[in-house]
PDB file of all heavy atoms in Angstrom:
ATOM      1  N   MET A   1      39.297 -17.721   9.563  1.00  0.00           N
ATOM      2  CA  MET A   1      38.062 -18.433   9.523  1.00  0.00           C
ATOM      3  C   MET A   1      38.182 -19.458   8.400  1.00  0.00           C
ATOM      4  O   MET A   1      37.651 -19.280   7.401  1.00  0.00           O
ATOM      5  CB  MET A   1      36.863 -17.519   9.309  1.00  0.00           C
ATOM      6  CG  MET A   1      36.611 -16.618  10.558  1.00  0.00           C
ATOM      7  SD  MET A   1      35.195 -15.566  10.373  1.00  0.00           S
ATOM      8  CE  MET A   1      33.863 -16.710   9.736  1.00  0.00           C
ATOM      9  N   PRO A   2      38.753 -20.602   8.735  1.00  0.00           N
ATOM     10  CA  PRO A   2      38.819 -21.611   7.630  1.00  0.00           C
ATOM     11  C   PRO A   2      37.439 -22.202   7.280  1.00  0.00           C
ATOM     12  O   PRO A   2      36.613 -22.296   8.153  1.00  0.00           O
ATOM     13  CB  PRO A   2      39.688 -22.759   8.204  1.00  0.00           C
ATOM     14  CG  PRO A   2      40.531 -22.156   9.429  1.00  0.00           C
ATOM     15  CD  PRO A   2      39.566 -21.005   9.829  1.00  0.00           C
ATOM     16  N   LEU A   3      37.238 -22.441   6.000  1.00  0.00           N
ATOM     17  CA  LEU A   3      36.166 -23.112   5.438  1.00  0.00           C
ATOM     18  C   LEU A   3      36.683 -24.337   4.768  1.00  0.00           C
ATOM     19  O   LEU A   3      37.406 -24.203   3.830  1.00  0.00           O
ATOM     20  CB  LEU A   3      35.362 -22.208   4.489  1.00  0.00           C
ATOM     21  CG  LEU A   3      34.225 -22.815   3.641  1.00  0.00           C
ATOM     22  CD1 LEU A   3      33.199 -23.543   4.541  1.00  0.00           C
ATOM     23  CD2 LEU A   3      33.653 -21.992   2.675  1.00  0.00           C
ATOM     24  N   ILE A   4      36.303 -25.447   5.278  1.00  0.00           N
ATOM     25  CA  ILE A   4      36.749 -26.729   4.696  1.00  0.00           C
ATOM     26  C   ILE A   4      35.531 -27.484   4.068  1.00  0.00           C
ATOM     27  O   ILE A   4      34.539 -27.743   4.815  1.00  0.00           O
ATOM     28  CB  ILE A   4      37.346 -27.682   5.780  1.00  0.00           C
ATOM     29  CG1 ILE A   4      38.531 -26.977   6.527  1.00  0.00           C
ATOM     30  CG2 ILE A   4      37.822 -29.011   5.241  1.00  0.00           C
ATOM     31  CD1 ILE A   4      39.007 -27.554   7.787  1.00  0.00           C
ATOM     32  N   GLU A   5      35.637 -27.734   2.775  1.00  0.00           N
ATOM     33  CA  GLU A   5      34.560 -28.457   2.048  1.00  0.00           C
ATOM     34  C   GLU A   5      35.048 -29.723   1.549  1.00  0.00           C
ATOM     35  O   GLU A   5      36.173 -29.810   0.989  1.00  0.00           O
ATOM     36  CB  GLU A   5      34.139 -27.566   0.811  1.00  0.00           C
ATOM     37  CG  GLU A   5      33.536 -26.211   1.244  1.00  0.00           C
ATOM     38  CD  GLU A   5      32.994 -25.495   0.054  1.00  0.00           C
ATOM     39  OE1 GLU A   5      31.978 -25.947  -0.536  1.00  0.00           O
ATOM     40  OE2 GLU A   5      33.587 -24.405  -0.185  1.00  0.00           O
ATOM     41  N   VAL A   6      34.298 -30.879   1.759  1.00  0.00           N
ATOM     42  CA  VAL A   6      34.799 -32.140   1.424  1.00  0.00           C
ATOM     43  C   VAL A   6      33.573 -32.815   0.652  1.00  0.00           C
ATOM     44  O   VAL A   6      32.408 -32.700   1.144  1.00  0.00           O
ATOM     45  CB  VAL A   6      35.013 -33.001   2.734  1.00  0.00           C
ATOM     46  CG1 VAL A   6      35.402 -34.412   2.409  1.00  0.00           C
ATOM     47  CG2 VAL A   6      36.115 -32.420   3.463  1.00  0.00           C
ATOM     48  N   SER A   7      33.877 -33.474  -0.359  1.00  0.00           N
ATOM     49  CA  SER A   7      32.872 -34.275  -1.090  1.00  0.00           C
ATOM     50  C   SER A   7      33.256 -35.732  -0.911  1.00  0.00           C
ATOM     51  O   SER A   7      34.480 -36.064  -1.011  1.00  0.00           O
ATOM     52  CB  SER A   7      32.926 -33.924  -2.618  1.00  0.00           C
ATOM     53  OG  SER A   7      32.518 -32.581  -2.840  1.00  0.00           O
ATOM     54  N   LEU A  20      35.147 -37.820  10.672  1.00  0.00           N
ATOM     55  CA  LEU A  20      35.785 -37.061   9.645  1.00  0.00           C
ATOM     56  C   LEU A  20      35.773 -35.557   9.935  1.00  0.00           C
ATOM     57  O   LEU A  20      36.767 -34.828   9.902  1.00  0.00           O
ATOM     58  CB  LEU A  20      35.086 -37.273   8.332  1.00  0.00           C
ATOM     59  CG  LEU A  20      35.436 -36.551   7.192  1.00  0.00           C
ATOM     60  CD1 LEU A  20      37.006 -36.723   6.868  1.00  0.00           C
ATOM     61  CD2 LEU A  20      34.614 -36.768   5.882  1.00  0.00           C
ATOM     62  N   ILE A  21      34.675 -35.112  10.432  1.00  0.00           N
ATOM     63  CA  ILE A  21      34.530 -33.669  10.778  1.00  0.00           C
ATOM     64  C   ILE A  21      35.462 -33.299  11.921  1.00  0.00           C
ATOM     65  O   ILE A  21      36.139 -32.313  11.842  1.00  0.00           O
ATOM     66  CB  ILE A  21      33.027 -33.323  11.190  1.00  0.00           C
ATOM     67  CG1 ILE A  21      32.178 -33.314   9.922  1.00  0.00           C
ATOM     68  CG2 ILE A  21      32.995 -31.942  11.865  1.00  0.00           C
ATOM     69  CD1 ILE A  21      30.660 -33.306  10.159  1.00  0.00           C
ATOM     70  N   ALA A  22      35.438 -34.113  12.906  1.00  0.00           N
ATOM     71  CA  ALA A  22      36.412 -33.855  14.053  1.00  0.00           C
ATOM     72  C   ALA A  22      37.961 -33.865  13.609  1.00  0.00           C
ATOM     73  O   ALA A  22      38.698 -32.997  14.050  1.00  0.00           O
ATOM     74  CB  ALA A  22      36.260 -34.908  15.210  1.00  0.00           C
ATOM     75  N   GLY A  23      38.249 -34.841  12.731  1.00  0.00           N
ATOM     76  CA  GLY A  23      39.586 -34.945  12.157  1.00  0.00           C
ATOM     77  C   GLY A  23      39.945 -33.595  11.391  1.00  0.00           C
ATOM     78  O   GLY A  23      41.080 -33.132  11.515  1.00  0.00           O
ATOM     79  N   LEU A  24      39.000 -33.181  10.629  1.00  0.00           N
ATOM     80  CA  LEU A  24      39.260 -31.957   9.917  1.00  0.00           C
ATOM     81  C   LEU A  24      39.462 -30.686  10.763  1.00  0.00           C
ATOM     82  O   LEU A  24      40.277 -29.870  10.438  1.00  0.00           O
ATOM     83  CB  LEU A  24      38.183 -31.755   8.868  1.00  0.00           C
ATOM     84  CG  LEU A  24      38.100 -32.761   7.745  1.00  0.00           C
ATOM     85  CD1 LEU A  24      36.775 -32.644   6.927  1.00  0.00           C
ATOM     86  CD2 LEU A  24      39.273 -32.646   6.871  1.00  0.00           C
ATOM     87  N   HIS A  25      38.637 -30.709  11.766  1.00  0.00           N
ATOM     88  CA  HIS A  25      38.823 -29.585  12.714  1.00  0.00           C
ATOM     89  C   HIS A  25      40.217 -29.566  13.393  1.00  0.00           C
ATOM     90  O   HIS A  25      40.942 -28.585  13.484  1.00  0.00           O
ATOM     91  CB  HIS A  25      37.780 -29.632  13.801  1.00  0.00           C
ATOM     92  CG  HIS A  25      36.582 -28.866  13.462  1.00  0.00           C
ATOM     93  ND1 HIS A  25      36.332 -27.476  13.746  1.00  0.00           N
ATOM     94  CD2 HIS A  25      35.381 -29.209  12.819  1.00  0.00           C
ATOM     95  CE1 HIS A  25      35.227 -27.109  13.310  1.00  0.00           C
ATOM     96  NE2 HIS A  25      34.616 -28.059  12.764  1.00  0.00           N
ATOM     97  N   ARG A  26      40.622 -30.867  13.815  1.00  0.00           N
ATOM     98  CA  ARG A  26      41.924 -30.977  14.432  1.00  0.00           C
ATOM     99  C   ARG A  26      43.025 -30.609  13.507  1.00  0.00           C
ATOM    100  O   ARG A  26      44.094 -29.939  13.791  1.00  0.00           O
ATOM    101  CB  ARG A  26      42.118 -32.399  14.915  1.00  0.00           C
ATOM    102  CG  ARG A  26      41.388 -32.701  16.251  1.00  0.00           C
ATOM    103  CD  ARG A  26      41.854 -34.077  16.821  1.00  0.00           C
ATOM    104  NE  ARG A  26      41.739 -35.165  15.884  1.00  0.00           N
ATOM    105  CZ  ARG A  26      40.702 -35.859  15.764  1.00  0.00           C
ATOM    106  NH1 ARG A  26      39.526 -35.531  16.441  1.00  0.00           N
ATOM    107  NH2 ARG A  26      40.591 -36.777  14.884  1.00  0.00           N
ATOM    108  N   ALA A  27      42.951 -30.947  12.193  1.00  0.00           N
ATOM    109  CA  ALA A  27      43.940 -30.664  11.227  1.00  0.00           C
ATOM    110  C   ALA A  27      44.098 -29.212  11.052  1.00  0.00           C
ATOM    111  O   ALA A  27      45.180 -28.679  10.930  1.00  0.00           O
ATOM    112  CB  ALA A  27      43.607 -31.415   9.871  1.00  0.00           C
ATOM    113  N   ALA A  28      42.856 -28.483  11.005  1.00  0.00           N
ATOM    114  CA  ALA A  28      42.915 -27.004  10.796  1.00  0.00           C
ATOM    115  C   ALA A  28      43.647 -26.422  12.096  1.00  0.00           C
ATOM    116  O   ALA A  28      44.438 -25.406  11.907  1.00  0.00           O
ATOM    117  CB  ALA A  28      41.537 -26.481  10.600  1.00  0.00           C
ATOM    118  N   GLU A  29      43.285 -26.876  13.273  1.00  0.00           N
ATOM    119  CA  GLU A  29      43.940 -26.361  14.417  1.00  0.00           C
ATOM    120  C   GLU A  29      45.446 -26.567  14.356  1.00  0.00           C
ATOM    121  O   GLU A  29      46.249 -25.620  14.703  1.00  0.00           O
ATOM    122  CB  GLU A  29      43.382 -27.090  15.647  1.00  0.00           C
ATOM    123  CG  GLU A  29      42.047 -26.684  16.084  1.00  0.00           C
ATOM    124  CD  GLU A  29      41.590 -27.398  17.350  1.00  0.00           C
ATOM    125  OE1 GLU A  29      42.230 -27.308  18.383  1.00  0.00           O
ATOM    126  OE2 GLU A  29      40.629 -28.132  17.155  1.00  0.00           O
ATOM    127  N   THR A  30      45.863 -27.829  14.076  1.00  0.00           N
ATOM    128  CA  THR A  30      47.278 -28.103  14.077  1.00  0.00           C
ATOM    129  C   THR A  30      48.092 -27.387  12.907  1.00  0.00           C
ATOM    130  O   THR A  30      49.111 -26.777  13.173  1.00  0.00           O
ATOM    131  CB  THR A  30      47.470 -29.644  13.830  1.00  0.00           C
ATOM    132  OG1 THR A  30      46.816 -30.293  14.888  1.00  0.00           O
ATOM    133  CG2 THR A  30      48.979 -30.070  13.808  1.00  0.00           C
ATOM    134  N   ALA A  31      47.489 -27.353  11.742  1.00  0.00           N
ATOM    135  CA  ALA A  31      48.257 -26.865  10.598  1.00  0.00           C
ATOM    136  C   ALA A  31      48.309 -25.317  10.542  1.00  0.00           C
ATOM    137  O   ALA A  31      49.301 -24.762  10.157  1.00  0.00           O
ATOM    138  CB  ALA A  31      47.593 -27.395   9.247  1.00  0.00           C
ATOM    139  N   VAL A  32      47.272 -24.631  10.926  1.00  0.00           N
ATOM    140  CA  VAL A  32      47.135 -23.186  10.750  1.00  0.00           C
ATOM    141  C   VAL A  32      46.782 -22.515  12.063  1.00  0.00           C
ATOM    142  O   VAL A  32      46.504 -21.203  11.982  1.00  0.00           O
ATOM    143  CB  VAL A  32      46.340 -22.765   9.579  1.00  0.00           C
ATOM    144  CG1 VAL A  32      46.737 -23.299   8.286  1.00  0.00           C
ATOM    145  CG2 VAL A  32      44.880 -23.217   9.844  1.00  0.00           C
ATOM    146  N   ALA A  34      44.020 -22.651  13.626  1.00  0.00           N
ATOM    147  CA  ALA A  34      42.557 -22.265  13.614  1.00  0.00           C
ATOM    148  C   ALA A  34      41.888 -22.443  14.847  1.00  0.00           C
ATOM    149  O   ALA A  34      42.125 -23.556  15.489  1.00  0.00           O
ATOM    150  CB  ALA A  34      41.901 -22.978  12.416  1.00  0.00           C
ATOM    151  N   VAL A  35      41.008 -21.562  15.218  1.00  0.00           N
ATOM    152  CA  VAL A  35      40.229 -21.696  16.429  1.00  0.00           C
ATOM    153  C   VAL A  35      38.968 -22.490  16.061  1.00  0.00           C
ATOM    154  O   VAL A  35      38.287 -22.160  15.132  1.00  0.00           O
ATOM    155  CB  VAL A  35      39.850 -20.376  16.947  1.00  0.00           C
ATOM    156  CG1 VAL A  35      38.894 -20.384  18.243  1.00  0.00           C
ATOM    157  CG2 VAL A  35      41.104 -19.526  17.274  1.00  0.00           C
ATOM    158  N   PRO A  36      38.594 -23.530  16.811  1.00  0.00           N
ATOM    159  CA  PRO A  36      37.524 -24.435  16.493  1.00  0.00           C
ATOM    160  C   PRO A  36      36.218 -23.746  16.163  1.00  0.00           C
ATOM    161  O   PRO A  36      35.503 -24.024  15.213  1.00  0.00           O
ATOM    162  CB  PRO A  36      37.364 -25.457  17.582  1.00  0.00           C
ATOM    163  CG  PRO A  36      38.782 -25.511  18.207  1.00  0.00           C
ATOM    164  CD  PRO A  36      39.376 -24.117  18.006  1.00  0.00           C
ATOM    165  N   ASN A  38      35.779 -20.934  14.970  1.00  0.00           N
ATOM    166  CA  ASN A  38      35.867 -20.099  13.756  1.00  0.00           C
ATOM    167  C   ASN A  38      36.025 -20.991  12.465  1.00  0.00           C
ATOM    168  O   ASN A  38      36.212 -20.415  11.421  1.00  0.00           O
ATOM    169  CB  ASN A  38      37.025 -19.138  13.848  1.00  0.00           C
ATOM    170  CG  ASN A  38      36.693 -18.096  14.847  1.00  0.00           C
ATOM    171  OD1 ASN A  38      35.543 -17.823  15.214  1.00  0.00           O
ATOM    172  ND2 ASN A  38      37.833 -17.431  15.408  1.00  0.00           N
ATOM    173  N   THR A  39      35.952 -22.283  12.643  1.00  0.00           N
ATOM    174  CA  THR A  39      36.235 -23.209  11.552  1.00  0.00           C
ATOM    175  C   THR A  39      34.871 -23.751  11.079  1.00  0.00           C
ATOM    176  O   THR A  39      34.097 -24.287  11.952  1.00  0.00           O
ATOM    177  CB  THR A  39      37.158 -24.394  11.881  1.00  0.00           C
ATOM    178  OG1 THR A  39      38.422 -23.770  12.382  1.00  0.00           O
ATOM    179  CG2 THR A  39      37.436 -25.301  10.827  1.00  0.00           C
ATOM    180  N   THR A  40      34.678 -23.731   9.837  1.00  0.00           N
ATOM    181  CA  THR A  40      33.377 -24.401   9.219  1.00  0.00           C
ATOM    182  C   THR A  40      33.737 -25.482   8.405  1.00  0.00           C
ATOM    183  O   THR A  40      34.738 -25.432   7.666  1.00  0.00           O
ATOM    184  CB  THR A  40      32.703 -23.281   8.450  1.00  0.00           C
ATOM    185  OG1 THR A  40      32.305 -22.247   9.237  1.00  0.00           O
ATOM    186  CG2 THR A  40      31.372 -23.897   7.786  1.00  0.00           C
ATOM    187  N   VAL A  41      33.056 -26.617   8.524  1.00  0.00           N
ATOM    188  CA  VAL A  41      33.254 -27.866   7.772  1.00  0.00           C
ATOM    189  C   VAL A  41      31.967 -28.107   7.087  1.00  0.00           C
ATOM    190  O   VAL A  41      30.945 -28.218   7.797  1.00  0.00           O
ATOM    191  CB  VAL A  41      33.724 -29.083   8.641  1.00  0.00           C
ATOM    192  CG1 VAL A  41      33.836 -30.346   7.687  1.00  0.00           C
ATOM    193  CG2 VAL A  41      35.089 -28.766   9.248  1.00  0.00           C
ATOM    194  N   ILE A  42      32.030 -28.422   5.714  1.00  0.00           N
ATOM    195  CA  ILE A  42      30.861 -28.764   4.959  1.00  0.00           C
ATOM    196  C   ILE A  42      31.154 -30.131   4.296  1.00  0.00           C
ATOM    197  O   ILE A  42      32.127 -30.166   3.585  1.00  0.00           O
ATOM    198  CB  ILE A  42      30.520 -27.719   3.836  1.00  0.00           C
ATOM    199  CG1 ILE A  42      30.130 -26.426   4.614  1.00  0.00           C
ATOM    200  CG2 ILE A  42      29.372 -28.219   3.026  1.00  0.00           C
ATOM    201  CD1 ILE A  42      30.003 -25.201   3.500  1.00  0.00           C
ATOM    202  N   VAL A  43      30.337 -31.118   4.624  1.00  0.00           N
ATOM    203  CA  VAL A  43      30.488 -32.374   3.984  1.00  0.00           C
ATOM    204  C   VAL A  43      29.307 -32.647   2.980  1.00  0.00           C
ATOM    205  O   VAL A  43      28.222 -32.537   3.412  1.00  0.00           O
ATOM    206  CB  VAL A  43      30.508 -33.508   5.088  1.00  0.00           C
ATOM    207  CG1 VAL A  43      30.634 -34.882   4.432  1.00  0.00           C
ATOM    208  CG2 VAL A  43      31.627 -33.293   6.046  1.00  0.00           C
ATOM    209  N   ARG A  44      29.702 -32.843   1.742  1.00  0.00           N
ATOM    210  CA  ARG A  44      28.770 -33.120   0.757  1.00  0.00           C
ATOM    211  C   ARG A  44      28.850 -34.606   0.390  1.00  0.00           C
ATOM    212  O   ARG A  44      29.954 -35.055   0.007  1.00  0.00           O
ATOM    213  CB  ARG A  44      29.007 -32.339  -0.509  1.00  0.00           C
ATOM    214  CG  ARG A  44      28.746 -30.913  -0.313  1.00  0.00           C
ATOM    215  CD  ARG A  44      28.909 -30.121  -1.720  1.00  0.00           C
ATOM    216  NE  ARG A  44      28.538 -28.660  -1.434  1.00  0.00           N
ATOM    217  CZ  ARG A  44      29.427 -27.790  -1.090  1.00  0.00           C
ATOM    218  NH1 ARG A  44      30.637 -28.091  -0.900  1.00  0.00           N
ATOM    219  NH2 ARG A  44      29.024 -26.523  -0.977  1.00  0.00           N
TER     220      ARG A  44
END
Side-chain angles (χ1 to χ4, degrees):
M1 289 181 50
L3 169 61
I4 303 168
E5 297 184 64
V6 176
S7 296
L20 174 61
I21 291 167
L24 292 169
H25 271 271
R26 281 192 306 275
E29 287 180 62
T30 301
V32 297
V35 179
N38 292 336
T39 301
T40 300
V41 175
I42 299 171
V43 178
R44 290 187 178 87

